[in-house]
Amino acid sequence: MHNPALSAAGINGCYIRLHLLADELASALPRMAELGFIGANVTIPHKVAALELATDAGLLPRMMGAVNTLRFHEEEGTRKIRGWNTDGPGFLRAVEESFGVTVGELRVAIVGAGGGAGRAVAVQCAAVHCPRLVLVNRTMEKVVALRDEMATLPAGTEDVRACAWEADAMAAEFGEVDLVVNATSLGMGSDDAAVVPAELLSADHLVYDMVYSGGRTRLLADTAAAGARGADGLAMLLHQGAIAFEHWFRIAAPIEAMRAGLLGSDARGRMI
Ligand code: NAP
């Protein structure tokens, strides 16, 4: 989606993929800046290390514990690396585009809130002051710790609950949430366990499945069967890309060129 965006914006540059080993990141980033790269996206397994290497990152990326977008610049002769995490802001725009609602108005349950993307989305939901946040995770300790950390966020959501990834525990919470989010890596495999037991979904729920699946996950099938509205992770991927573009170039992203680019390639960027 980035090369179509560069063309549409008339920017003479290109977006390329580099494969770095974990111990190469610290030397690669300054070298990329020297070579004239404007910035970068970083992905697994580099997102946590990229936060450590960023010379400048805000409170939310630091609470999210990772950055995935970097911009190189110079300030008074010193080379700087600014870092952002676009998972949270991309999620806000994706929910708004998919359902026509603002996340800050919704009671939200995030299944997989202990993972990298789930944590980022949870921190973002707290920052926009969702009236209730239910943090669900297979490894419960992670969301207990996250709930406690969230209490330190200035003006964040106060009603934050940690919930085990178990049918009874989820049943006690899901009647009182508006938006259910899948941030686990479950979804694409035909043998994958259900993210949420189907009987817990009702027509009043909105379901955002962060997996990019063309709408083909078991969760989205269960959502449709319950008469509820659901959306897959494509809009989040798109809006994350748009937000990264805006950080790099400080102009509005050519979103429709990016959407067309994304729809013309698979999730790994190969043309189809
Ligand atoms: P991650 O850091 O590895 O986290 C994985 C999460 O899934 C953890 O909460 C983990 O629970 C849970 N999980 C994994 N296997 C499970 C299982 N068998 N049963 C129950 N829970 C399980 O991964 P991530 O980077 O956050 O990515 C998570 C998903 O979000 C992926 O599908 C990714 O493609 C998608 N994603 C989409 C976008 C987008 O733009 N649409 C952006 C980022 C990520 P434990 O903590 O117990 O291990």
Side-chain angles (χ1 to χ4, degrees), residues 60 88-89 91-93 95-96 101-110 118-135 150-151 153-161 176-181 206 208:
L60 291 188
F91 169 78
L92 297 183
R93 290 193 194 177
V95 169
E96 196 157 342
V101 290
T102 306
V103 173
E105 294 165 5
L106 305 174
R107 298 167 297 174
V108 183
I110 302 160
R119 181 185 172 95
V121 165
V123 169
Q124 190 73 53
C125 287
V128 298
H129 213 98
C130 289
R132 174 173 298 173
L133 261 180
V134 181
L135 310 176
M150 279 186 174
L153 191 67
T157 298
E158 280 148 29
D159 184 356
V160 182
R161 299 149 184 240
E176 295 292 327
V177 299
D178 309 302
L179 174 66
V180 176
V181 181
L206 301 171
Y208 195 80

mmCIF file of all heavy atoms in Angstrom, residues 60 88-89 91-93 95-96 101-110 118-135 150-151 153-161 176-181 206 208:
data_model
loop_
_atom_site.group_PDB
_atom_site.id
_atom_site.type_symbol
_atom_site.label_atom_id
_atom_site.label_comp_id
_atom_site.label_asym_id
_atom_site.label_seq_id
_atom_site.Cartn_x
_atom_site.Cartn_y
_atom_site.Cartn_z
ATOM 1 N N LEU A 60 2.132 6.985 25.422
ATOM 2 C CA LEU A 60 1.344 5.815 25.021
ATOM 3 C C LEU A 60 2.219 4.715 24.412
ATOM 4 O O LEU A 60 2.111 3.555 24.824
ATOM 5 C CB LEU A 60 0.205 6.197 24.076
ATOM 6 C CG LEU A 60 -0.932 7.010 24.702
ATOM 7 C CD1 LEU A 60 -2.084 7.155 23.720
ATOM 8 C CD2 LEU A 60 -1.435 6.408 25.996
ATOM 9 N N GLY A 88 -2.707 1.112 18.091
ATOM 10 C CA GLY A 88 -3.833 1.716 18.819
ATOM 11 C C GLY A 88 -4.578 2.734 17.968
ATOM 12 O O GLY A 88 -5.800 2.607 17.745
ATOM 13 N N PRO A 89 -3.898 3.764 17.422
ATOM 14 C CA PRO A 89 -4.603 4.749 16.598
ATOM 15 C C PRO A 89 -5.239 4.129 15.344
ATOM 16 O O PRO A 89 -6.327 4.524 14.928
ATOM 17 C CB PRO A 89 -3.501 5.747 16.205
ATOM 18 C CG PRO A 89 -2.444 5.580 17.251
ATOM 19 C CD PRO A 89 -2.505 4.154 17.699
ATOM 20 N N PHE A 91 -6.459 1.154 15.113
ATOM 21 C CA PHE A 91 -7.657 0.460 15.593
ATOM 22 C C PHE A 91 -8.820 1.453 15.758
ATOM 23 O O PHE A 91 -9.943 1.165 15.341
ATOM 24 C CB PHE A 91 -7.321 -0.226 16.929
ATOM 25 C CG PHE A 91 -8.511 -0.744 17.667
ATOM 26 C CD1 PHE A 91 -9.119 -1.932 17.280
ATOM 27 C CD2 PHE A 91 -9.030 -0.045 18.749
ATOM 28 C CE1 PHE A 91 -10.234 -2.406 17.966
ATOM 29 C CE2 PHE A 91 -10.130 -0.510 19.429
ATOM 30 C CZ PHE A 91 -10.741 -1.700 19.037
ATOM 31 N N LEU A 92 -8.539 2.625 16.326
ATOM 32 C CA LEU A 92 -9.614 3.622 16.521
ATOM 33 C C LEU A 92 -10.252 3.979 15.180
ATOM 34 O O LEU A 92 -11.473 3.998 15.039
ATOM 35 C CB LEU A 92 -9.074 4.903 17.166
ATOM 36 C CG LEU A 92 -8.491 4.808 18.576
ATOM 37 C CD1 LEU A 92 -8.083 6.209 19.061
ATOM 38 C CD2 LEU A 92 -9.456 4.174 19.554
ATOM 39 N N ARG A 93 -9.394 4.278 14.192
ATOM 40 C CA ARG A 93 -9.934 4.669 12.872
ATOM 41 C C ARG A 93 -10.664 3.505 12.213
ATOM 42 O O ARG A 93 -11.665 3.688 11.529
ATOM 43 C CB ARG A 93 -8.807 5.144 11.952
ATOM 44 C CG ARG A 93 -8.213 6.480 12.371
ATOM 45 C CD ARG A 93 -7.336 7.011 11.241
ATOM 46 N NE ARG A 93 -6.493 8.104 11.685
ATOM 47 C CZ ARG A 93 -5.597 8.716 10.921
ATOM 48 N NH1 ARG A 93 -5.424 8.321 9.663
ATOM 49 N NH2 ARG A 93 -4.856 9.696 11.386
ATOM 50 N N VAL A 95 -12.322 0.983 13.621
ATOM 51 C CA VAL A 95 -13.649 0.744 14.221
ATOM 52 C C VAL A 95 -14.612 1.823 13.743
ATOM 53 O O VAL A 95 -15.771 1.542 13.411
ATOM 54 C CB VAL A 95 -13.544 0.696 15.766
ATOM 55 C CG1 VAL A 95 -14.919 0.725 16.406
ATOM 56 C CG2 VAL A 95 -12.772 -0.554 16.190
ATOM 57 N N GLU A 96 -14.117 3.050 13.682
ATOM 58 C CA GLU A 96 -14.985 4.137 13.231
ATOM 59 C C GLU A 96 -15.424 3.903 11.782
ATOM 60 O O GLU A 96 -16.592 4.034 11.446
ATOM 61 C CB GLU A 96 -14.234 5.467 13.366
ATOM 62 C CG GLU A 96 -15.173 6.626 13.291
ATOM 63 C CD GLU A 96 -14.613 7.871 13.957
ATOM 64 O OE1 GLU A 96 -13.658 7.770 14.766
ATOM 65 O OE2 GLU A 96 -15.131 8.949 13.655
ATOM 66 N N VAL A 101 -18.952 4.236 14.629
ATOM 67 C CA VAL A 101 -19.027 4.632 16.045
ATOM 68 C C VAL A 101 -17.630 5.000 16.539
ATOM 69 O O VAL A 101 -16.624 4.581 15.970
ATOM 70 C CB VAL A 101 -19.577 3.490 16.942
ATOM 71 C CG1 VAL A 101 -21.044 3.234 16.689
ATOM 72 C CG2 VAL A 101 -18.763 2.219 16.755
ATOM 73 N N THR A 102 -17.602 5.756 17.625
ATOM 74 C CA THR A 102 -16.335 6.185 18.213
ATOM 75 C C THR A 102 -16.002 5.245 19.369
ATOM 76 O O THR A 102 -16.851 5.001 20.239
ATOM 77 C CB THR A 102 -16.507 7.631 18.748
ATOM 78 O OG1 THR A 102 -16.996 8.414 17.668
ATOM 79 C CG2 THR A 102 -15.218 8.207 19.258
ATOM 80 N N VAL A 103 -14.784 4.730 19.365
ATOM 81 C CA VAL A 103 -14.405 3.728 20.376
ATOM 82 C C VAL A 103 -14.583 4.266 21.797
ATOM 83 O O VAL A 103 -14.998 3.539 22.703
ATOM 84 C CB VAL A 103 -12.948 3.251 20.143
ATOM 85 C CG1 VAL A 103 -12.478 2.339 21.262
ATOM 86 C CG2 VAL A 103 -12.823 2.541 18.803
ATOM 87 N N GLY A 104 -14.327 5.549 21.987
ATOM 88 C CA GLY A 104 -14.415 6.142 23.328
ATOM 89 C C GLY A 104 -15.812 6.076 23.930
ATOM 90 O O GLY A 104 -15.977 6.291 25.134
ATOM 91 N N GLU A 105 -16.825 5.756 23.100
ATOM 92 C CA GLU A 105 -18.198 5.667 23.617
ATOM 93 C C GLU A 105 -18.559 4.236 23.999
ATOM 94 O O GLU A 105 -19.666 3.970 24.458
ATOM 95 C CB GLU A 105 -19.195 6.116 22.543
ATOM 96 C CG GLU A 105 -19.080 7.566 22.194
ATOM 97 C CD GLU A 105 -19.807 7.912 20.897
ATOM 98 O OE1 GLU A 105 -20.488 7.041 20.312
ATOM 99 O OE2 GLU A 105 -19.654 9.062 20.467
ATOM 100 N N LEU A 106 -17.663 3.295 23.759
ATOM 101 C CA LEU A 106 -18.035 1.874 23.865
ATOM 102 C C LEU A 106 -17.398 1.185 25.064
ATOM 103 O O LEU A 106 -16.267 1.486 25.443
ATOM 104 C CB LEU A 106 -17.591 1.132 22.587
ATOM 105 C CG LEU A 106 -18.099 1.699 21.257
ATOM 106 C CD1 LEU A 106 -17.459 0.944 20.089
ATOM 107 C CD2 LEU A 106 -19.616 1.590 21.172
ATOM 108 N N ARG A 107 -18.161 0.220 25.614
ATOM 109 C CA ARG A 107 -17.584 -0.696 26.606
ATOM 110 C C ARG A 107 -16.913 -1.806 25.784
ATOM 111 O O ARG A 107 -17.557 -2.430 24.933
ATOM 112 C CB ARG A 107 -18.685 -1.272 27.495
ATOM 113 C CG ARG A 107 -19.426 -0.199 28.300
ATOM 114 C CD ARG A 107 -20.686 -0.740 28.916
ATOM 115 N NE ARG A 107 -21.627 -1.175 27.885
ATOM 116 C CZ ARG A 107 -22.778 -1.805 28.104
ATOM 117 N NH1 ARG A 107 -23.151 -2.096 29.326
ATOM 118 N NH2 ARG A 107 -23.566 -2.176 27.119
ATOM 119 N N VAL A 108 -15.629 -2.018 26.024
ATOM 120 C CA VAL A 108 -14.841 -2.859 25.110
ATOM 121 C C VAL A 108 -14.250 -4.066 25.845
ATOM 122 O O VAL A 108 -13.673 -3.909 26.930
ATOM 123 C CB VAL A 108 -13.676 -2.034 24.486
ATOM 124 C CG1 VAL A 108 -12.891 -2.876 23.479
ATOM 125 C CG2 VAL A 108 -14.194 -0.770 23.817
ATOM 126 N N ALA A 109 -14.383 -5.248 25.241
ATOM 127 C CA ALA A 109 -13.673 -6.448 25.727
ATOM 128 C C ALA A 109 -12.614 -6.810 24.694
ATOM 129 O O ALA A 109 -12.921 -6.909 23.492
ATOM 130 C CB ALA A 109 -14.645 -7.608 25.902
ATOM 131 N N ILE A 110 -11.375 -6.971 25.134
ATOM 132 C CA ILE A 110 -10.279 -7.324 24.214
ATOM 133 C C ILE A 110 -9.777 -8.712 24.580
ATOM 134 O O ILE A 110 -9.220 -8.902 25.671
ATOM 135 C CB ILE A 110 -9.122 -6.304 24.317
ATOM 136 C CG1 ILE A 110 -9.642 -4.902 23.998
ATOM 137 C CG2 ILE A 110 -7.973 -6.687 23.379
ATOM 138 C CD1 ILE A 110 -8.746 -3.792 24.517
ATOM 139 N N GLY A 118 -2.784 -6.574 21.234
ATOM 140 C CA GLY A 118 -3.881 -6.453 22.203
ATOM 141 C C GLY A 118 -3.555 -5.452 23.293
ATOM 142 O O GLY A 118 -4.391 -4.643 23.700
ATOM 143 N N ARG A 119 -2.315 -5.472 23.743
ATOM 144 C CA ARG A 119 -1.896 -4.516 24.768
ATOM 145 C C ARG A 119 -1.969 -3.079 24.230
ATOM 146 O O ARG A 119 -2.446 -2.165 24.904
ATOM 147 C CB ARG A 119 -0.464 -4.854 25.214
ATOM 148 C CG ARG A 119 0.065 -3.953 26.284
ATOM 149 C CD ARG A 119 1.525 -4.247 26.610
ATOM 150 N NE ARG A 119 2.015 -3.228 27.496
ATOM 151 C CZ ARG A 119 2.057 -3.322 28.826
ATOM 152 N NH1 ARG A 119 1.679 -4.423 29.417
ATOM 153 N NH2 ARG A 119 2.483 -2.324 29.563
ATOM 154 N N ALA A 120 -1.497 -2.903 22.995
ATOM 155 C CA ALA A 120 -1.521 -1.559 22.397
ATOM 156 C C ALA A 120 -2.957 -1.053 22.273
ATOM 157 O O ALA A 120 -3.258 0.097 22.598
ATOM 158 C CB ALA A 120 -0.843 -1.589 21.027
ATOM 159 N N VAL A 121 -3.849 -1.924 21.825
ATOM 160 C CA VAL A 121 -5.253 -1.524 21.665
ATOM 161 C C VAL A 121 -5.875 -1.228 23.036
ATOM 162 O O VAL A 121 -6.634 -0.263 23.200
ATOM 163 C CB VAL A 121 -6.020 -2.625 20.896
ATOM 164 C CG1 VAL A 121 -7.519 -2.466 21.016
ATOM 165 C CG2 VAL A 121 -5.598 -2.607 19.431
ATOM 166 N N ALA A 122 -5.519 -2.029 24.023
ATOM 167 C CA ALA A 122 -6.065 -1.810 25.373
ATOM 168 C C ALA A 122 -5.611 -0.457 25.927
ATOM 169 O O ALA A 122 -6.420 0.311 26.462
ATOM 170 C CB ALA A 122 -5.612 -2.945 26.295
ATOM 171 N N VAL A 123 -4.336 -0.137 25.766
ATOM 172 C CA VAL A 123 -3.822 1.148 26.265
ATOM 173 C C VAL A 123 -4.528 2.300 25.538
ATOM 174 O O VAL A 123 -4.930 3.297 26.135
ATOM 175 C CB VAL A 123 -2.282 1.228 26.089
ATOM 176 C CG1 VAL A 123 -1.766 2.638 26.338
ATOM 177 C CG2 VAL A 123 -1.591 0.229 27.011
ATOM 178 N N GLN A 124 -4.711 2.132 24.214
ATOM 179 C CA GLN A 124 -5.377 3.181 23.426
ATOM 180 C C GLN A 124 -6.828 3.360 23.881
ATOM 181 O O GLN A 124 -7.308 4.490 24.005
ATOM 182 C CB GLN A 124 -5.345 2.803 21.939
ATOM 183 C CG GLN A 124 -5.779 3.917 21.021
ATOM 184 C CD GLN A 124 -4.731 5.009 20.922
ATOM 185 O OE1 GLN A 124 -3.591 4.730 20.631
ATOM 186 N NE2 GLN A 124 -5.121 6.247 21.191
ATOM 187 N N CYS A 125 -7.532 2.258 24.143
ATOM 188 C CA CYS A 125 -8.929 2.348 24.608
ATOM 189 C C CYS A 125 -8.988 3.075 25.950
ATOM 190 O O CYS A 125 -9.881 3.893 26.184
ATOM 191 C CB CYS A 125 -9.539 0.953 24.763
ATOM 192 S SG CYS A 125 -9.912 0.166 23.196
ATOM 193 N N ALA A 126 -8.037 2.776 26.828
ATOM 194 C CA ALA A 126 -8.016 3.456 28.130
ATOM 195 C C ALA A 126 -7.745 4.942 27.927
ATOM 196 O O ALA A 126 -8.351 5.790 28.587
ATOM 197 C CB ALA A 126 -6.950 2.831 29.030
ATOM 198 N N ALA A 127 -6.844 5.260 26.964
ATOM 199 C CA ALA A 127 -6.480 6.666 26.740
ATOM 200 C C ALA A 127 -7.651 7.469 26.184
ATOM 201 O O ALA A 127 -7.743 8.675 26.424
ATOM 202 C CB ALA A 127 -5.277 6.753 25.795
ATOM 203 N N VAL A 128 -8.554 6.824 25.415
ATOM 204 C CA VAL A 128 -9.720 7.558 24.904
ATOM 205 C C VAL A 128 -10.917 7.414 25.854
ATOM 206 O O VAL A 128 -12.034 7.764 25.526
ATOM 207 C CB VAL A 128 -10.119 7.162 23.453
ATOM 208 C CG1 VAL A 128 -8.989 7.495 22.498
ATOM 209 C CG2 VAL A 128 -10.513 5.693 23.331
ATOM 210 N N HIS A 129 -10.620 6.867 27.018
ATOM 211 C CA HIS A 129 -11.583 6.848 28.123
ATOM 212 C C HIS A 129 -12.839 6.032 27.805
ATOM 213 O O HIS A 129 -13.971 6.498 28.039
ATOM 214 C CB HIS A 129 -11.965 8.287 28.505
ATOM 215 C CG HIS A 129 -12.237 8.404 29.963
ATOM 216 N ND1 HIS A 129 -11.322 8.854 30.865
ATOM 217 C CD2 HIS A 129 -13.322 8.075 30.694
ATOM 218 C CE1 HIS A 129 -11.823 8.819 32.069
ATOM 219 N NE2 HIS A 129 -13.043 8.341 32.002
ATOM 220 N N CYS A 130 -12.671 4.826 27.277
ATOM 221 C CA CYS A 130 -13.829 3.934 27.119
ATOM 222 C C CYS A 130 -14.478 3.744 28.485
ATOM 223 O O CYS A 130 -13.776 3.631 29.491
ATOM 224 C CB CYS A 130 -13.360 2.563 26.613
ATOM 225 S SG CYS A 130 -12.818 2.606 24.928
ATOM 226 N N PRO A 131 -15.796 3.685 28.553
ATOM 227 C CA PRO A 131 -16.428 3.589 29.876
ATOM 228 C C PRO A 131 -16.121 2.284 30.620
ATOM 229 O O PRO A 131 -16.190 2.247 31.848
ATOM 230 C CB PRO A 131 -17.924 3.705 29.581
ATOM 231 C CG PRO A 131 -18.064 3.563 28.104
ATOM 232 C CD PRO A 131 -16.758 3.884 27.466
ATOM 233 N N ARG A 132 -15.816 1.221 29.902
ATOM 234 C CA ARG A 132 -15.421 -0.036 30.567
ATOM 235 C C ARG A 132 -14.464 -0.794 29.663
ATOM 236 O O ARG A 132 -14.646 -0.822 28.443
ATOM 237 C CB ARG A 132 -16.643 -0.918 30.838
ATOM 238 C CG ARG A 132 -16.257 -2.286 31.380
ATOM 239 C CD ARG A 132 -17.453 -3.100 31.809
ATOM 240 N NE ARG A 132 -18.170 -2.451 32.892
ATOM 241 C CZ ARG A 132 -19.344 -2.875 33.374
ATOM 242 N NH1 ARG A 132 -19.933 -3.929 32.849
ATOM 243 N NH2 ARG A 132 -19.930 -2.238 34.356
ATOM 244 N N LEU A 133 -13.474 -1.414 30.285
ATOM 245 C CA LEU A 133 -12.508 -2.219 29.525
ATOM 246 C C LEU A 133 -12.381 -3.583 30.186
ATOM 247 O O LEU A 133 -12.076 -3.659 31.392
ATOM 248 C CB LEU A 133 -11.134 -1.558 29.597
ATOM 249 C CG LEU A 133 -10.675 -0.712 28.432
ATOM 250 C CD1 LEU A 133 -9.292 -0.155 28.728
ATOM 251 C CD2 LEU A 133 -10.629 -1.550 27.160
ATOM 252 N N VAL A 134 -12.617 -4.631 29.416
ATOM 253 C CA VAL A 134 -12.458 -5.995 29.935
ATOM 254 C C VAL A 134 -11.271 -6.613 29.205
ATOM 255 O O VAL A 134 -11.291 -6.761 27.979
ATOM 256 C CB VAL A 134 -13.744 -6.828 29.703
ATOM 257 C CG1 VAL A 134 -13.563 -8.227 30.281
ATOM 258 C CG2 VAL A 134 -14.961 -6.136 30.315
ATOM 259 N N LEU A 135 -10.225 -6.943 29.941
ATOM 260 C CA LEU A 135 -8.985 -7.460 29.352
ATOM 261 C C LEU A 135 -8.951 -8.971 29.541
ATOM 262 O O LEU A 135 -8.819 -9.457 30.667
ATOM 263 C CB LEU A 135 -7.773 -6.831 30.047
ATOM 264 C CG LEU A 135 -7.788 -5.295 30.167
ATOM 265 C CD1 LEU A 135 -6.567 -4.811 30.961
ATOM 266 C CD2 LEU A 135 -7.834 -4.645 28.787
ATOM 267 N N MET A 150 -2.499 0.280 34.102
ATOM 268 C CA MET A 150 -3.410 1.276 33.514
ATOM 269 C C MET A 150 -3.898 2.276 34.532
ATOM 270 O O MET A 150 -4.295 3.386 34.181
ATOM 271 C CB MET A 150 -4.583 0.574 32.867
ATOM 272 C CG MET A 150 -4.211 0.067 31.521
ATOM 273 S SD MET A 150 -5.665 -0.568 30.775
ATOM 274 C CE MET A 150 -5.028 -0.915 29.174
ATOM 275 N N ALA A 151 -3.868 1.894 35.787
ATOM 276 C CA ALA A 151 -4.302 2.823 36.839
ATOM 277 C C ALA A 151 -3.378 4.047 36.885
ATOM 278 O O ALA A 151 -3.753 5.091 37.414
ATOM 279 C CB ALA A 151 -4.316 2.101 38.180
ATOM 280 N N LEU A 153 -2.292 5.642 34.177
ATOM 281 C CA LEU A 153 -2.484 6.480 32.981
ATOM 282 C C LEU A 153 -3.320 7.708 33.358
ATOM 283 O O LEU A 153 -4.427 7.560 33.864
ATOM 284 C CB LEU A 153 -3.206 5.653 31.910
ATOM 285 C CG LEU A 153 -3.284 6.237 30.512
ATOM 286 C CD1 LEU A 153 -1.907 6.317 29.873
ATOM 287 C CD2 LEU A 153 -4.191 5.365 29.643
ATOM 288 N N PRO A 154 -2.814 8.929 33.093
ATOM 289 C CA PRO A 154 -3.583 10.106 33.476
ATOM 290 C C PRO A 154 -4.921 10.149 32.726
ATOM 291 O O PRO A 154 -4.955 9.966 31.515
ATOM 292 C CB PRO A 154 -2.692 11.290 33.050
ATOM 293 C CG PRO A 154 -1.375 10.698 32.684
ATOM 294 C CD PRO A 154 -1.551 9.248 32.427
ATOM 295 N N ALA A 155 -6.019 10.343 33.436
ATOM 296 C CA ALA A 155 -7.367 10.462 32.859
ATOM 297 C C ALA A 155 -7.770 9.257 32.014
ATOM 298 O O ALA A 155 -8.520 9.386 31.054
ATOM 299 C CB ALA A 155 -7.481 11.751 32.036
ATOM 300 N N GLY A 156 -7.273 8.080 32.337
ATOM 301 C CA GLY A 156 -7.647 6.876 31.589
ATOM 302 C C GLY A 156 -8.941 6.273 32.134
ATOM 303 O O GLY A 156 -9.539 6.778 33.079
ATOM 304 N N THR A 157 -9.368 5.170 31.477
ATOM 305 C CA THR A 157 -10.569 4.452 31.940
ATOM 306 C C THR A 157 -10.365 3.973 33.377
ATOM 307 O O THR A 157 -9.308 3.442 33.713
ATOM 308 C CB THR A 157 -10.796 3.238 31.013
ATOM 309 O OG1 THR A 157 -11.018 3.707 29.696
ATOM 310 C CG2 THR A 157 -11.985 2.387 31.469
ATOM 311 N N GLU A 158 -11.393 4.158 34.195
ATOM 312 C CA GLU A 158 -11.266 3.687 35.588
ATOM 313 C C GLU A 158 -11.762 2.250 35.743
ATOM 314 O O GLU A 158 -11.226 1.489 36.538
ATOM 315 C CB GLU A 158 -12.072 4.601 36.523
ATOM 316 C CG GLU A 158 -11.294 5.877 36.831
ATOM 317 C CD GLU A 158 -12.197 7.071 37.047
ATOM 318 O OE1 GLU A 158 -13.341 6.873 37.496
ATOM 319 O OE2 GLU A 158 -11.742 8.196 36.735
ATOM 320 N N ASP A 159 -12.800 1.894 34.956
ATOM 321 C CA ASP A 159 -13.399 0.558 35.110
ATOM 322 C C ASP A 159 -12.654 -0.428 34.192
ATOM 323 O O ASP A 159 -13.061 -0.686 33.064
ATOM 324 C CB ASP A 159 -14.886 0.649 34.738
ATOM 325 C CG ASP A 159 -15.605 -0.671 34.962
ATOM 326 O OD1 ASP A 159 -14.945 -1.666 35.329
ATOM 327 O OD2 ASP A 159 -16.833 -0.708 34.741
ATOM 328 N N VAL A 160 -11.520 -0.941 34.690
ATOM 329 C CA VAL A 160 -10.711 -1.891 33.908
ATOM 330 C C VAL A 160 -10.737 -3.225 34.643
ATOM 331 O O VAL A 160 -10.430 -3.294 35.839
ATOM 332 C CB VAL A 160 -9.256 -1.409 33.751
ATOM 333 C CG1 VAL A 160 -8.463 -2.394 32.881
ATOM 334 C CG2 VAL A 160 -9.182 -0.015 33.152
ATOM 335 N N ARG A 161 -11.121 -4.295 33.930
ATOM 336 C CA ARG A 161 -11.247 -5.611 34.552
ATOM 337 C C ARG A 161 -10.340 -6.621 33.857
ATOM 338 O O ARG A 161 -10.272 -6.631 32.628
ATOM 339 C CB ARG A 161 -12.690 -6.119 34.416
ATOM 340 C CG ARG A 161 -13.688 -5.222 35.100
ATOM 341 C CD ARG A 161 -15.020 -5.251 34.394
ATOM 342 N NE ARG A 161 -15.907 -4.290 35.063
ATOM 343 C CZ ARG A 161 -17.055 -4.618 35.633
ATOM 344 N NH1 ARG A 161 -17.504 -5.851 35.581
ATOM 345 N NH2 ARG A 161 -17.780 -3.694 36.226
ATOM 346 N N GLU A 176 -22.349 -7.104 29.261
ATOM 347 C CA GLU A 176 -22.223 -5.671 29.558
ATOM 348 C C GLU A 176 -21.097 -5.032 28.747
ATOM 349 O O GLU A 176 -20.405 -4.145 29.252
ATOM 350 C CB GLU A 176 -21.967 -5.460 31.058
ATOM 351 C CG GLU A 176 -23.122 -5.890 31.952
ATOM 352 C CD GLU A 176 -24.358 -4.988 31.782
ATOM 353 O OE1 GLU A 176 -24.184 -3.788 31.529
ATOM 354 O OE2 GLU A 176 -25.479 -5.525 31.865
ATOM 355 N N VAL A 177 -20.837 -5.542 27.536
ATOM 356 C CA VAL A 177 -19.881 -4.853 26.657
ATOM 357 C C VAL A 177 -20.540 -4.624 25.287
ATOM 358 O O VAL A 177 -21.454 -5.347 24.895
ATOM 359 C CB VAL A 177 -18.537 -5.616 26.473
ATOM 360 C CG1 VAL A 177 -17.800 -5.789 27.782
ATOM 361 C CG2 VAL A 177 -18.725 -6.942 25.778
ATOM 362 N N ASP A 178 -20.057 -3.594 24.588
ATOM 363 C CA ASP A 178 -20.605 -3.252 23.269
ATOM 364 C C ASP A 178 -19.727 -3.793 22.150
ATOM 365 O O ASP A 178 -20.225 -4.193 21.106
ATOM 366 C CB ASP A 178 -20.670 -1.719 23.119
ATOM 367 C CG ASP A 178 -21.378 -1.077 24.297
ATOM 368 O OD1 ASP A 178 -22.540 -1.440 24.543
ATOM 369 O OD2 ASP A 178 -20.754 -0.231 24.974
ATOM 370 N N LEU A 179 -18.406 -3.736 22.357
ATOM 371 C CA LEU A 179 -17.461 -4.113 21.296
ATOM 372 C C LEU A 179 -16.569 -5.235 21.794
ATOM 373 O O LEU A 179 -15.949 -5.115 22.855
ATOM 374 C CB LEU A 179 -16.598 -2.889 20.922
ATOM 375 C CG LEU A 179 -15.453 -3.113 19.931
ATOM 376 C CD1 LEU A 179 -15.986 -3.489 18.552
ATOM 377 C CD2 LEU A 179 -14.588 -1.838 19.817
ATOM 378 N N VAL A 180 -16.527 -6.323 21.019
ATOM 379 C CA VAL A 180 -15.643 -7.449 21.327
ATOM 380 C C VAL A 180 -14.524 -7.443 20.290
ATOM 381 O O VAL A 180 -14.789 -7.370 19.089
ATOM 382 C CB VAL A 180 -16.416 -8.787 21.247
ATOM 383 C CG1 VAL A 180 -15.479 -9.968 21.468
ATOM 384 C CG2 VAL A 180 -17.564 -8.812 22.257
ATOM 385 N N VAL A 181 -13.273 -7.501 20.758
ATOM 386 C CA VAL A 181 -12.123 -7.434 19.849
ATOM 387 C C VAL A 181 -11.340 -8.737 19.954
ATOM 388 O O VAL A 181 -11.040 -9.188 21.060
ATOM 389 C CB VAL A 181 -11.192 -6.258 20.244
ATOM 390 C CG1 VAL A 181 -10.011 -6.157 19.289
ATOM 391 C CG2 VAL A 181 -11.963 -4.952 20.297
ATOM 392 N N LEU A 206 -20.827 -5.473 18.646
ATOM 393 C CA LEU A 206 -19.990 -5.232 17.471
ATOM 394 C C LEU A 206 -18.759 -6.100 17.695
ATOM 395 O O LEU A 206 -18.274 -6.200 18.829
ATOM 396 C CB LEU A 206 -19.571 -3.767 17.400
ATOM 397 C CG LEU A 206 -20.698 -2.739 17.317
ATOM 398 C CD1 LEU A 206 -20.139 -1.324 17.482
ATOM 399 C CD2 LEU A 206 -21.440 -2.876 15.987
ATOM 400 N N TYR A 208 -14.837 -6.799 16.348
ATOM 401 C CA TYR A 208 -13.713 -6.446 15.481
ATOM 402 C C TYR A 208 -12.647 -7.528 15.596
ATOM 403 O O TYR A 208 -12.051 -7.716 16.660
ATOM 404 C CB TYR A 208 -13.119 -5.067 15.824
ATOM 405 C CG TYR A 208 -12.241 -4.617 14.690
ATOM 406 C CD1 TYR A 208 -12.802 -4.067 13.546
ATOM 407 C CD2 TYR A 208 -10.881 -4.862 14.704
ATOM 408 C CE1 TYR A 208 -12.029 -3.746 12.444
ATOM 409 C CE2 TYR A 208 -10.089 -4.536 13.603
ATOM 410 C CZ TYR A 208 -10.678 -3.977 12.483
ATOM 411 O OH TYR A 208 -9.916 -3.677 11.383
#
